[in-house]
Amino acid sequence: MTPLEQHQLEIRENLRSWDSKPLLQKIYSSFYERIIALIDPQLPGRIVEIGSGIGNLKARLPGAISTDLFANPWLDLACDGYDLPFKDHSLSHLVLFDVFHHLRAPNAFLREARRVLTRSGRIILFEPYISWSSFPVYGLLHHEPVARRQPINLADSLPRPRDYYAAQGNATRLFFCREISHWPDGWTVFHARAFSSFSYLLSGGYSRPALYPVACLPAIQHCDKLLSRWPRLFGARCLVGLRRP
Ligand SMILES: C[S@@+](CC[C@H](N)C(=O)[O-])C[C@H]1O[C@@H](n2cnc3c(N)ncnc32)[C@H](O)[C@@H]1O
């Protein structure tokens, strides 16, 4: 098995858990709504989802091209986010759901994104957000590291050989703590919101059992809405939109 095939193993496990967990399906449905709200239907070109995993977003965005590193029957295409098989300036949006924190060299990805996106084209990122309350959950209960103090590789090219990379804290560090000033160079961050999601954290995600029944979801989502006023304390997820010059 190559290191990257770890992703394919996780996709298979996620598929099993998705089918048996209606709670997770409902929570993801609310996440997808947030993503769709950032789509600009006026932009010319197709929408491409990178790292689609088990491919559920496509049910909500049927016109999107679903892709991932490995071919799976439910996907449209196998491709690498660093090397996209699309013509220059042919796409309107790139959507990455829980994928950005797997990109060891975000600038190398942005370079490729800039090539394929049309003028004013958008990248939409949905990611873990590290706050005082979500840090212990992501840090202790999830197998991927938060990597709060690891250097982030800002090279324009991808280091080889390829390996499995995960750093759940990267979106928080780059888009909210603004650890690297003026980053991402040449892109406009038109949206960066972190929000509470105890409904997600307590659902156990793909890998752990849920700590509450589906019937309690509306009440917990209501609490999330209130707690989202204090993202540094209670944030757990974030949505970021970048616009190409
Ligand atoms: C945590 S999973 C998220 C899957 C799916 N988006 C979801 O939300 O269920 C991360 C996904 O990113 C994909 N991925 C990681 N690095 C990638 C890259 N360089 N190009 C394309 N996909 C990548 C993996 O194969 C995996 O399916």
Side-chain angles (χ1 to χ4, degrees):
M1 189 176 105
T2 66
L4 281 180
E5 278 166 350
Q6 172 71 26
H7 286 297
Q8 178 70 337
L9 286 183
E10 290 174 13
I11 288 169
R12 298 230 173 95
E13 283 161 18
N14 289 351
L15 190 56
R16 271 194 293 278
S17 148
W18 178 266
D19 287 340
S20 62
K21 224 169 162 181
L23 176 64
L24 198 61
Q25 297 177 17
K26 284 183 190 289
I27 293 166
Y28 268 62
S29 174
S30 67
F31 291 163
Y32 295 150
E33 273 171 34
R34 288 178 185 267
I35 290 175
I36 289 166
L38 293 195
I39 299 278
D40 176 356
Q42 308 298 329
L43 285 171
R46 299 283 302 267
I47 300 171
V48 170
E49 187 189 10
I50 293 174
S52 304
I54 58 176
N56 298 311
L57 177 64
K58 199 174 162 77
R60 302 295 297 272
L61 265 180
I65 301 173
S66 58
T67 76
D68 207 308
L69 286 172
F70 300 95
N72 277 309
W74 53 86
L75 297 179
D76 295 315
L77 193 67
C79 70
D80 190 334
Y82 293 109
D83 185 14
L84 294 167
F86 300 102
K87 289 188 184 147
D88 294 0
H89 317 307
S90 59
L91 306 180
S92 62
H93 297 80
L94 294 173
V95 179
L96 288 80
F97 192 123
D98 277 339
V99 178
F100 181 77
H101 65 273
H102 289 290
L103 298 177
R104 180 181 282 285
N107 277 345
F109 163 70
L110 288 180
R111 200 169 72 156
E112 182 64 347
R114 195 182 171 113
R115 181 186 70 75
V116 294
L117 282 173
T118 185
R119 199 157 168 258
S120 301
R122 296 178 170 194
I123 301 177
I124 302 173
L125 308 173
F126 195 93
E127 281 293 308
Y129 178 81
I130 310 302
S131 66
W132 287 100
S133 56
S134 71
F135 177 62
V137 180
Y138 288 127
L140 299 174
L141 299 180
H142 194 54
H143 67 279
E144 296 171 359
V146 171
R148 275 212 305 191
R149 309 215 183 280
Q150 295 296 315
I152 299 175
N153 181 341
L154 294 178
D156 275 343
S157 56
L158 185 58
R160 296 197 185 263
R162 298 287 295 278
D163 59 354
Y164 178 91
Y165 174 80
Q168 295 184 89
N170 280 5
T172 312
R173 293 173 63 190
L174 290 168
F175 297 108
F176 296 87
C177 304
R178 311 291 297 184
E179 273 186 25
I180 297 158
S181 58
H182 307 302
W183 192 90
D185 216 12
W187 291 80
T188 305
V189 180
F190 70 91
H191 183 99
R193 293 262 161 77
F195 52 92
S196 167
S197 195
F198 284 99
S199 48
Y200 169 71
L201 295 178
L202 299 174
S203 77
Y206 283 113
S207 54
R208 308 236 166 212
L211 299 181
Y212 67 95
V214 181
C216 295
L217 179 62
I220 300 180
Q221 282 179 324
H222 181 68
C223 294
D224 280 332
K225 206 170 167 187
L226 300 176
L227 295 175
S228 291
R229 285 196 212 167
W230 301 282
R232 283 188 188 188
L233 273 179
F234 300 118
R237 284 300 205 159
C238 62
L239 179 65
V240 175
L242 303 179
R243 190 184 302 113
R244 185 194 177 283

